[in-house]
Amino acid sequence: MCFDVDVTGRGGRVSASFEVAGGVTILFGPSGSGKTSVLDMIAGLLTPERGHVRVAGKTLFDAVKAVNLPSARRNVGYVFQNARLFPHKRVRANLLYGASSDARLSEVAAMLDLGDLLDRWPRTLSGGEAKRVAIGRALLSEPDFLLLDEPLASLDAGRRAAAMTAIQSLRRATTLPTLLVTHDREEAERLGDRIVHL
């Protein structure tokens, strides 16, 4: 299994249990159901109160065995709801932040349609463009897996469509295990290989 997750946190208010193979898995549920908290537990930003997190056979957290790898050692590419780009760095530098080299820059820029944006400042990007840059930065860090938290949230229809196309391109072009959070059924059905309901 690529993701083997069984966790409870936030005083028992958040829990999830699923085992899924590779591809894109959607964590689907209404606002407030704990989807982001589950991603944070997988990423190591929030410590579960019980359970385990295993990704591609590697144990990241196990309450019984007292294993809790720090977030920096989990090698996760996490794209937050807010793109969190560095305002003082152009798009190219944002993309390469955390990358070991620029060898894959052209490939990732082409996949996410970022070629014309490389010399721009983050403040000049649309919401959809900023999300695509954030996804590209996550990919270039050569993660073992990807976590995408509401990547289409707060985008207007045109920008949402462009970002959705970029995620579909990502889905076709990479074999990285990916968890994507959404509360939108259309997004869930179009972007995922499978859906986990929370």
Side-chain angles (χ1 to χ4, degrees):
M1 291 292 106
C2 279
F3 288 101
D4 176 4
V5 175
D6 183 6
V7 289
T8 299
R10 301 264 188 214
R13 296 189 308 276
V14 174
S15 65
S17 181
F18 55 91
E19 290 183 32
V20 295
V24 177
T25 298
I26 304 295
L27 292 186
F28 179 77
S31 295
S33 61
K35 300 181 300 295
T36 297
S37 293
V38 171
L39 285 195
D40 287 349
M41 285 188 259
I42 294 168
L45 302 177
L46 177 65
T47 301
E49 290 149 14
R50 64 152 214 82
H52 65 261
V53 175
R54 300 181 188 104
V55 180
K58 180 179 179 181
T59 299
L60 307 181
F61 174 83
D62 191 312
V64 173
K65 297 178 181 177
V67 174
N68 188 12
L69 284 183
S71 182
R73 291 187 46 213
R74 295 191 185 198
N75 200 26
V76 55
Y78 198 150
V79 179
F80 298 89
Q81 286 186 38
N82 177 326
R84 298 188 184 189
L85 302 181
F86 297 107
H88 62 290
K89 294 179 181 287
R90 294 185 189 267
V91 166
R92 180 187 308 274
N94 265 283
L95 285 167
L96 292 173
Y97 185 84
S100 58
S101 77
D102 64 358
R104 294 186 58 223
L105 178 61
S106 296
E107 171 197 345
V108 170
M111 177 176 45
L112 297 172
D113 194 23
L114 299 173
D116 293 338
L117 306 179
L118 295 177
D119 292 323
R120 298 214 357 226
W121 294 100
R123 68 179 173 273
T124 69
L125 302 177
S126 71
E129 290 168 341
K131 290 279 175 78
R132 293 190 341 249
V133 172
I135 292 169
R137 180 173 63 190
L139 284 174
L140 286 166
S141 71
E142 299 181 18
D144 292 333
F145 60 101
L146 282 176
L147 303 177
L148 306 176
D149 190 7
E150 300 269 9
L152 307 181
S154 71
L155 300 181
D156 63 35
R159 292 175 178 143
R160 185 171 175 266
M164 189 174 288
T165 299
I167 293 168
Q168 288 172 317
S169 297
L170 169 69
R171 180 180 170 195
R172 289 189 298 269
T174 183
T175 58
L176 279 178
T178 301
L179 284 178
L180 185 151
V181 160
T182 184
H183 60 268
D184 183 289
R185 183 165 293 279
E186 178 196 356
E187 286 177 24
E189 291 173 352
R190 283 187 60 184
L191 297 176
D193 297 303
R194 70 201 56 81
I195 299 174
V196 172
H197 293 266
L198 292 186

